[in-house]
Amino acid sequence: MKKNKIKELGIVEMKNFLSYDEKIEEKTNTFEKIMIIYEMAIEELKTKINILQKEFKVFYNYDLIDHVNSRIKKPESIINKMKKKGNELTYKEMIQNINDIAGVRIVCQLKDDIFKIRNLVEKIPGINIEKEKDYVNHPKESGYSSYHMIVKVPVTLSKQIIYVKVEIQIRTMAMDFWASLEHKMKYKTDKQINKKDSKELVNYAKIVNKMDNKIMLMNN
Ligand code: 0O2
């Protein structure tokens, strides 16, 4: 949508609605207000995904989506990520550069359902895809596998509609099991995991992938 049209309709991008150049302070009103807007975006998106989940279960007798989780990134994680990326610690930079402040994770049973879900998300009216990363067909070096989408979700307030970024991770139950385990073991610690364990984790990821492929074939 063109910029002048955005103004006419009272639609604003999050970064313009709250164009704060101030430094981030975790326990202030400003920080809380921003986080509440991200929470609203999660609620909007989750409602739409839950509708799809129910539709498939009730009308097609098919468990397309096993479960949906969501979270708001913790302030210290946001700040650490900004430091790693070399961002200035302002609200403006935070909104612009941190794509996963609001996160929704969709977990399914079958590998090919990941792409069915992706296509359904693309069709939800008002949801705009900003960026996608296919770690399913192209797993990370760590072995990590998931489909990532950064979408913009419209949050309707009394005077305007704000477009808010949300990261969606779509993965199978097996991928989810691996990622949670690996996250606990290595992702969040500052310590480097030794080479042997790292290799072992990559091997487990390959086993998970084989299993996902076999289960998918069995179902087909
Ligand atoms: P947390 O604690 O899960 O929130 P971008 O700016 O979007 O281009 P970003 O955010 O690094 O760069 O993108 P990417 O690669 O899509 O990763 C975002 C999230 O994916 C991570 O968020 C993790 O949740 C997950 N992820 C990515 N790589 C791995 C991995 O190797 N192992 C596991 N277990 N999870 C991974 P955070 O903020 O890093 O962590």
Side-chain angles (χ1 to χ4, degrees):
M1 197 178 282
K2 283 188 186 142
K3 266 202 175 151
N4 53 356
K5 192 104 193 235
I6 289 176
K7 258 192 188 159
E8 270 170 43
L9 295 172
I11 296 173
V12 292
E13 295 282 323
M14 178 83 164
K15 62 177 189 283
N16 299 331
F17 176 70
L18 293 159
S19 58
Y20 296 114
D21 282 320
E22 307 147 43
K23 292 244 175 295
I24 297 175
E25 279 175 80
E26 286 171 37
K27 286 177 186 112
T28 58
N29 235 346
T30 309
F31 195 86
E32 238 173 64
K33 276 185 197 161
I34 294 176
M35 291 306 134
I36 285 169
I37 291 177
Y38 281 108
E39 272 169 26
M40 290 168 176
I42 285 182
E43 287 313 310
E44 280 282 350
L45 187 61
K46 265 175 65 179
T47 302
K48 290 179 164 80
I49 294 167
N50 287 340
I51 289 172
L52 289 173
Q53 182 183 21
K54 275 205 186 117
E55 183 203 348
F56 273 80
K57 201 175 176 62
V58 174
F59 294 100
Y60 308 122
N61 195 24
Y62 186 65
D63 284 315
L64 179 68
I65 295 169
D66 187 82
H67 62 274
V68 181
N69 290 332
S70 63
R71 65 105 182 88
I72 290 285
K73 209 173 179 69
K74 287 195 190 108
E76 57 272 31
S77 295
I78 296 176
I79 289 166
N80 283 343
K81 198 159 186 172
M82 289 180 79
K83 283 181 183 162
K84 265 194 207 157
K85 286 183 166 212
N87 300 142
E88 237 185 287
L89 296 182
T90 61
Y91 293 116
K92 205 175 178 177
E93 289 259 311
M94 177 182 90
I95 292 163
Q96 251 164 4
N97 298 307
I98 305 302
N99 293 326
D100 63 343
I101 294 175
V104 169
R105 183 171 294 152
I106 306 174
V107 180
C108 57
Q109 293 172 0
L110 304 176
K111 194 172 169 180
D112 49 0
D113 284 344
I114 293 176
F115 298 96
K116 286 184 196 148
I117 295 167
R118 181 246 164 245
N119 293 340
L120 287 167
V121 169
E122 188 184 30
K123 283 192 193 140
I124 300 175
I127 304 285
N128 298 328
I129 302 175
E130 275 272 299
K131 192 166 149 186
E132 290 178 89
K133 289 187 194 168
D134 182 358
Y135 297 130
V136 175
N137 288 311
H138 309 283
K140 287 182 105 170
E141 230 178 280
S142 61
Y144 177 77
S145 189
S146 265
Y147 196 88
H148 287 196
M149 302 172 88
I150 307 294
V151 297
K152 281 202 172 153
V153 179
V155 172
T156 309
L157 301 181
S158 60
K159 293 193 183 95
Q160 67 256 87
I161 299 170
I162 315 172
Y163 272 85
V164 185
K165 266 192 264 178
V166 180
E167 183 192 69
I168 306 177
Q169 297 180 348
I170 315 171
R171 53 171 74 150
T172 63
M173 287 159 107
M175 291 171 190
D176 193 45
F177 168 72
W178 182 94
S180 307
L181 212 76
E182 193 255 11
H183 195 271
K184 257 187 215 145
M185 280 178 70
K186 131 177 162 190
Y187 208 67
K188 279 285 168 181
T189 61
D190 288 333
K191 282 184 227 149
Q192 278 289 312
I193 196 161
N194 67 52
K195 266 195 178 165
K196 189 176 154 268
D197 287 349
S198 233
K199 259 191 169 174
E200 196 85 334
L201 281 167
V202 175
N203 277 338
Y204 294 154
K206 283 182 186 157
I207 294 169
V208 162
N209 186 40
K210 247 190 205 163
M211 192 178 82
D212 267 338
N213 286 338
K214 282 196 174 159
I215 291 174
M216 190 172 66
L217 284 176
M218 255 163 64
N219 261 273
N220 285 342

